[in-house]
Amino acid sequence: DTEVTQTPKHLVMGMTNKKSLKCEQHMGHRAMYWYKQKAKKPPELMFVYSYEKLSINESVPSRFSPECPNSSLLNLHLHALQPEDSALYLCASSQDQTSSYNEQFFGPGTRLTVL
Amino acid sequence: AQSVTQLDSQVPVFEEAPVELRCNYSSSVSVYLFWYVQYPNQGLQLLLKYLSGSTLVKGINGFEAEFNKSQTSFHLRKPSVHISDTAEYFCAVSPPRGSGNTGKLIFGQGTTLQVKP
């Protein structure tokens, strides 16, 4: 199984809502990533988890809160978002964070709209 | 530090014509190189990668790329494109283990390939 799955596919939320994005992989990968992607732009790294511990936080606002309950699952909790946070949120995984090469496998993404 | 430049933001081409998408990188250390494709409303899919060895790399869907160390380039080519190749293409680099590798992929700005009938 070489698939990364993400749910939901689409999410519309108000600025006062709390919601969560979910990501799952069953490739035995030990590194998982959250990216934010605006239209026609490359993905921007938000967080990296390595062996279920937060390894990199790219100065992301606290209204985004990642969680890695186990080696297969990655969540992104959202609270009090702003309209400019509307984007495609991509999850990815790789064998580990600093393997000889860092081939990352991406999920299909969650299209988030903040009203 | 590494950086990636994709020289063309858009490349229009007719179906069955050849195409080249250009990618140049800057790095003080050796890097691994990747091309990803993103179809509309989807995630990124790895097309091909260069780690070491032969400088000509073959990928999925008939794509290939050539690593040129002296010109720090990794251009993507396909001899005959299809309508279904219409997508966004991203070149990316990653430094190898022991060279400040933090697991980050450094992406170029992307090239939109528009295949016309």
Side-chain angles (χ1 to χ4, degrees):
Chain A
D1 183 0
T2 58
E3 194 180 6
V4 176
T5 59
Q6 291 187 244
T7 56
K9 196 165 184 171
H10 300 277
L11 179 62
V12 179
M13 60 186 290
M15 289 191 284
T16 58
N17 292 156
K18 283 186 183 181
K19 297 285 184 185
S20 297
L21 309 184
K22 296 186 184 303
C23 173
E24 191 167 3
Q25 57 88 15
H26 294 288
M27 295 178 276
H29 289 172
R30 303 314 299 267
M32 296 186 77
Y33 309 77
W34 279 117
Y35 289 87
K36 173 182 177 181
Q37 187 182 28
K38 291 283 202 178
K40 300 296 186 185
K41 295 290 186 185
E44 297 172 28
L45 184 66
M46 299 174 72
F47 303 103
V48 181
Y49 271 82
S50 179
Y51 290 85
E52 299 156 52
K53 291 190 185 337
L54 183 63
S55 172
I56 295 177
N57 176 342
E58 290 286 278
S59 303
V60 179
S62 60
R63 57 186 183 268
F64 295 92
S65 175
E67 179 198 18
C68 190
N70 60 55
S71 60
S72 300
L73 292 173
L74 186 66
N75 298 322
L76 186 63
H77 303 297
L78 314 172
H79 173 54
L81 294 193
Q82 303 296 310
E84 59 264 29
D85 296 321
S86 298
L88 182 68
Y89 288 84
L90 294 165
C91 174
S93 70
S94 67
Q95 190 172 8
D96 65 54
Q97 187 179 349
T98 57
S99 62
S100 298
Y101 61 91
N102 193 18
E103 179 177 350
Q104 295 185 20
F105 292 79
F106 285 81
T110 293
R111 176 75 60 190
L112 174 68
T113 303
V114 182
L115 301 175
Chain B
Q2 292 81 34
S3 66
V4 179
T5 302
Q6 291 183 242
L7 296 155
D8 306 294
S9 59
Q10 293 189 36
V11 174
V13 64
F14 287 104
E15 197 174 16
E16 297 182 9
V19 71
E20 178 180 81
L21 305 185
R22 297 180 293 167
C23 173
N24 285 87
Y25 68 93
S26 172
S27 177
S28 57
V29 298
S30 297
V31 292
Y32 300 122
L33 295 145
F34 306 85
W35 274 100
Y36 283 89
V37 60
Q38 186 173 30
Y39 299 105
N41 300 312
Q42 293 189 28
L44 275 69
Q45 181 183 6
L46 183 68
L47 272 178
L48 47 79
K49 58 184 182 261
Y50 174 78
L51 308 177
S52 64
S54 173
T55 57
L56 184 62
V57 180
K58 294 195 182 295
I60 62 171
N61 301 342
F63 284 94
E64 63 181 33
E66 184 147 23
F67 169 59
N68 187 319
K69 188 173 182 180
S70 62
Q71 297 191 7
T72 60
S73 67
F74 190 54
H75 300 333
L76 181 70
R77 301 186 183 102
K78 187 169 182 177
S80 175
V81 295
H82 302 288
I83 296 284
S84 58
D85 292 322
T86 295
E88 192 77 14
Y89 291 79
F90 293 101
C91 181
V93 303
S94 175
R97 183 193 289 271
S99 301
N101 183 357
T102 61
K104 289 187 184 183
L105 274 177
I106 295 114
F107 287 95
Q109 288 300 303
T111 297
T112 304
L113 177 63
Q114 301 164 319
V115 181
K116 303 176 181 180

